[in-house]
Amino acid sequence: MSAYLHGYIPEEQQRLMDQAGVLGSLIYPRVDFSGCKKLLEVGSGVGAQTEVLLRLFPELEITCVDYSQSQLDRARQNLAFAGDRVKFVCQDARILQLEENYDSVFICWALEHIPEASQVLVAIKPYLLPETKLWFTEVFNASFYFHPPLPGLTKYYKNYNDLQVSLGGNPDIGANLGNLLNSAGYNQIELFRGGFHLDQRNPGDLHKITQYWKELMKSAATGLIEAALISAEDVSAMENDLDAIAQDEDAVFFYHFVQASATV
Ligand SMILES: C[S@@+](CC[C@H](N)C(=O)[O-])C[C@H]1O[C@@H](n2cnc3c(N)ncnc32)[C@H](O)[C@@H]1O
């Protein structure tokens, strides 16, 4: 198993659950699995998105695939309410050996971490039924803009993205979803942008998302410090800058992720 930007400590596992709550209203309005019965979720982590999907689509049975057994163990606890509607498979998503076929696929914040992510799109194909509905949600970190310009956050964000690249991931993979799906032979590919464009019109949302961003950034702090890319002081500087943005009368906080839908 290769190194993973966010790590697997319990605090990070809880952050994924909190993240699904904070960003849910941005991710799910378009996602449509109506009429689907069996969904394959790749890179399902601790089941944070699985929980939302199970509640939104009561007809769905979901197979969660992750290559971390500790994520799947936590997912099993988080999804206990769903009983046998959920199954867990511990595999590398690039070399899948599955026992069933699926009419729907959901992948969120996972391809960004997987070296040669195109292999995942090829690996799932043999298990997809005709007219399978696929939904992807992935980062496009180059879209991040904030005002005022602050050096602590700028430095931290650059190193955060550099670390992800050095681990074989792609912090801008959202922008490539169209090409990746096209090359893998998928059809009816549509791309959508989601995210936030916050300022002092709504200080409550600005505060909420800058606090969320702090936790997202901090999830890589151990790896960044171990890689000698930043110091503990740089973590504090990043946090202070995010607090300063939330207070600034001319604050702007802008970020777009990319969603894609496709069929086989
Ligand atoms: C940021 S988490 C996202 C989890 C979940 N999709 C969510 O939105 O809460 C990414 C997950 O992808 C998993 N992952 C990374 N590389 C993988 C691979 N090659 N095969 C399967 N899972 C992988 C990690 O273990 C981690 O649980």
Side-chain angles (χ1 to χ4, degrees), residues 82-250:
D84 58 10
R85 286 179 66 202
V86 202
K87 291 176 189 158
F88 303 94
V89 173
C90 190
Q91 286 183 17
D92 185 328
R94 293 166 296 188
I95 41 173
L96 289 173
Q97 295 278 330
L98 301 173
E99 290 171 0
E100 296 178 281
N101 293 319
Y102 299 90
D103 60 12
S104 41
V105 173
F106 184 82
I107 304 182
C108 181
W109 316 134
L111 295 178
E112 57 164 309
H113 297 292
I114 304 181
E116 306 297 335
S118 58
Q119 292 176 7
V120 177
L121 303 180
V122 174
I124 60 177
K125 268 192 126 179
Y127 305 103
L128 305 186
L129 295 164
E131 299 183 33
T132 290
K133 293 184 188 177
L134 300 100
W135 278 95
F136 302 83
T137 304
E138 290 293 341
V139 292
F140 178 23
N141 286 3
S143 71
F144 184 41
Y145 172 83
F146 57 91
H147 183 86
L150 293 168
L153 179 55
T154 301
K155 176 180 177 183
Y156 194 102
Y157 194 66
K158 179 181 183 313
N159 283 296
Y160 175 97
N161 288 307
D162 287 352
L163 178 62
Q164 186 164 30
V165 171
S166 76
L167 297 175
N170 180 352
D172 294 315
I173 199 163
N176 296 328
L177 277 176
N179 286 331
L180 286 169
L181 288 162
N182 196 40
S183 300
Y186 289 90
N187 294 305
Q188 296 178 48
I189 302 160
E190 287 191 67
L191 299 177
F192 310 92
R193 272 162 295 161
F196 25 82
H197 187 167
L198 300 167
D199 49 33
Q200 294 298 3
R201 289 169 304 159
N202 191 335
D205 281 355
L206 179 63
H207 181 262
K208 181 174 89 172
I209 295 296
T210 49
Q211 295 309 302
Y212 157 72
W213 207 259
K214 246 190 223 179
E215 299 309 314
L216 173 66
M217 294 291 101
K218 278 198 292 184
S219 69
T222 304
L224 285 164
I225 292 171
E226 279 173 8
L229 289 169
I230 60 159
S231 64
E233 291 72 40
D234 291 324
V235 181
S236 301
M238 172 277 292
E239 293 189 85
N240 291 338
D241 283 0
L242 282 163
D243 286 337
I245 290 170
Q247 301 294 329
D248 194 282
E249 62 179 16
D250 294 322

Side-chain angles (χ1 to χ4, degrees), residues 4 6 8 12 15-16 19-20 41-46 48-49 65-68 71 91-94 108-110 112-114:
Y4 167 59
H6 304 295
Y8 294 110
E12 167 57 16
R15 186 191 69 82
L16 288 174
Q19 172 173 264
E41 186 183 358
V42 173
S44 49
V46 298
Q49 311 297 344
V65 176
D66 203 286
Y67 74 171
S68 158
Q71 298 287 78
Q91 286 183 17
D92 185 328
R94 293 166 296 188
C108 181
W109 316 134
E112 57 164 309
H113 297 292
I114 304 181

Side-chain angles (χ1 to χ4, degrees), residues 13 15-21 28 41 44-53 75 78-79:
Q13 294 182 321
R15 186 191 69 82
L16 288 174
M17 296 304 286
D18 298 342
Q19 172 173 264
Y28 285 96
E41 186 183 358
S44 49
V46 298
Q49 311 297 344
T50 326
E51 178 176 0
V52 181
L53 290 166
N78 290 334
L79 303 173

